[in-house]
């Protein structure tokens, strides 16, 4: 078996192992991949709300770029569709989502109110291959990267080549938000590779109780505004979306 066939077989085996399952408690429906690890959540009464704190932080790129109707946003890893539902509600942009497992998309359509919209496209592909496609260069105002499998032992795409492709497909200015495990062995390795790919222009939001750390990586002048500008944008984002954007801005300013 050739190396490429071996890699393809390994990827397919990983997809087969990520059997999506459900649980529900106190009005919140959870997605799992055949394990106790939570891969996504939806409040049944308010499906567009971001339930998990780290998914809220994945929207912190709104502090730095303002997406318009001509912009594209990329979501790498569908999960329970939380980021897709939120971005379709709160932006006018086209949203391209990458999900390697069609069974995850199917369960989202059946149980997680996956929205049907002419602004939404879901590609069933490996995120590495998707990001490497030449025609995507400079196409996305923001990328939200949340790529975990049933083992939840760090992102399944963590090569520096992958992060460089994410940099390449961002427009200028552009921001990538990545979900990392702050207490996990993979954290330092991923953070350094993101820094290498984004010329060191990376900030991390404070780690939350569940252990997630969201890193923001910047292309172009997205990081070049003043403190007053950032705080002003945060107030507007918070007013419009209900996200704790002003708290994020204060935390990030302490690092800048």
């Amino acid at each position: 078996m050739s190396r490429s066939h071996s890699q393809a077989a390994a990827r397919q085996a990983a997809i087969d192992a990520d059997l999506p399952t459900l649980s529900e408690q106190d009005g919140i429906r959870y997605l799992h991949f055949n394990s106790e690890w939570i891969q996504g959540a939806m409040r049944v009464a308010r499906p567009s709300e971001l339930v998990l704190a780290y998914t809220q932080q994945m929207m912190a790129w709104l502090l730095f770029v303002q997406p318009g109707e001509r912009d594209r946003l990329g979501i790498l890893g569908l999960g329970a569709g939380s980021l897709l539902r939120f971005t379709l509600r709160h932006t006018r942009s086209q949203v391209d989502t990458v999900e390697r497992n069609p069974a995850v998309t199917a369960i989202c359509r059946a149980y997680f109110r996956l929205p049907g919209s002419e602004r939404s496209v879901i590609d069933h592909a490996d995120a590495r291959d998707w990001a490497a496609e030449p025609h995507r260069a400079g196409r996305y105002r923001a990328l939200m990267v949340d790529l975990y499998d049933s083992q939840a032992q760090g992102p399944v795409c963590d090569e520096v080549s992958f992060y460089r492709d994410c940099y390449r497909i961002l427009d200028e200015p552009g921001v990538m938000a990545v979900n990392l495990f702050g207490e996990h062995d993979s954290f330092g390795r991923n953070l350094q590779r993101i820094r290498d790919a984004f010329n060191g222009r990376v900030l991390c939001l404070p780690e939350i109780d569940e252990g997630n750390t969201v890193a923001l990586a910047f292309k172009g002048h997205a990081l070049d505004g003043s403190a007053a500008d950032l705080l002003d944008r945060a107030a507007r984002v918070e007013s419009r979306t209900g996200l704790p954007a002003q708290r994020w801005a204060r935390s990030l300013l302490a690092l800048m």
Side-chain angles (χ1 to χ4, degrees):
M1 180 182 295
S2 70
R3 182 178 180 182
S4 61
H5 286 143
S6 177
Q7 290 174 334
R11 292 182 186 181
Q12 186 59 50
I15 292 173
D16 294 341
D18 289 349
L19 177 67
T21 57
L22 301 173
S23 66
E24 192 165 325
Q25 184 176 3
D26 298 329
I28 299 176
R29 189 169 295 160
Y30 297 97
L31 175 70
H32 310 266
F33 289 163
N34 203 29
S35 73
E36 74 279 6
W37 293 100
I38 293 172
Q39 301 286 346
M42 179 187 73
R43 192 178 303 278
V44 177
R46 297 191 296 275
S48 294
E49 177 183 312
L50 292 174
V51 175
L52 303 177
Y54 92 86
T55 59
Q56 295 178 13
Q57 290 188 349
M58 291 287 286
M59 297 302 301
W61 57 267
L62 286 168
L63 296 174
F64 299 93
V65 291
Q66 309 301 314
E69 61 183 345
R70 295 186 178 181
D71 288 319
R72 285 179 176 266
L73 309 175
I75 299 174
L76 281 63
L78 176 62
S82 304
L83 294 173
L84 178 55
R85 290 190 299 272
F86 191 88
T87 52
L88 287 175
R89 179 176 179 180
H90 291 284
T91 78
R92 295 180 297 166
S93 302
Q94 171 79 30
V95 186
D96 294 347
T97 305
V98 187
E99 173 52 54
R100 68 178 182 173
N101 190 348
V104 173
T105 306
I107 204 168
C108 281
R109 288 202 169 104
Y111 297 102
F112 288 94
R113 302 189 191 178
L114 192 66
S117 170
E118 63 182 13
R119 293 190 291 120
S120 173
V121 173
I122 298 176
D123 289 324
H124 291 128
D126 187 284
R128 297 179 187 85
D129 300 334
W130 184 90
E133 293 173 357
H135 74 276
R136 299 194 187 280
R139 198 171 189 182
Y140 295 92
R141 184 65 62 202
L143 294 173
M144 292 152 273
V145 182
D146 188 14
L147 297 167
Y148 287 81
D149 60 14
S150 59
Q151 302 303 309
Q153 294 298 304
V156 295
C157 295
D158 65 356
E159 305 87 355
V160 69
S161 59
F162 168 71
Y163 291 125
R164 283 174 177 156
D165 280 330
C166 289
Y167 180 90
R168 181 182 58 83
I169 67 176
L170 280 173
D171 199 354
E172 292 192 31
V175 185
M176 176 180 72
V178 187
N179 176 33
L180 303 175
F181 281 174
E183 298 294 332
H184 194 267
D185 290 345
S186 65
F187 177 76
R189 177 176 69 249
N190 275 272
L191 188 58
Q192 185 58 54
R193 290 173 180 175
I194 295 169
R195 285 174 174 156
D196 290 344
F198 281 77
N199 304 309
R201 294 167 65 82
V202 181
L203 297 173
C204 290
L205 287 158
E207 182 177 320
I208 60 174
D209 292 342
E210 293 84 353
N212 301 79
T213 296
V214 171
L216 301 174
F218 301 88
K219 181 178 181 179
H221 63 266
L223 193 55
D224 296 342
S226 69
D229 289 339
L230 182 61
L231 291 170
D232 181 63
R233 285 195 300 271
R236 285 185 274 119
V237 169
E238 188 159 329
S239 175
R240 188 174 73 249
T241 67
L243 296 170
Q246 294 181 85
R247 186 173 74 233
W248 298 340
R250 290 190 293 269
S251 296
L252 293 171
L253 284 171
L255 304 174
M256 294 166 65

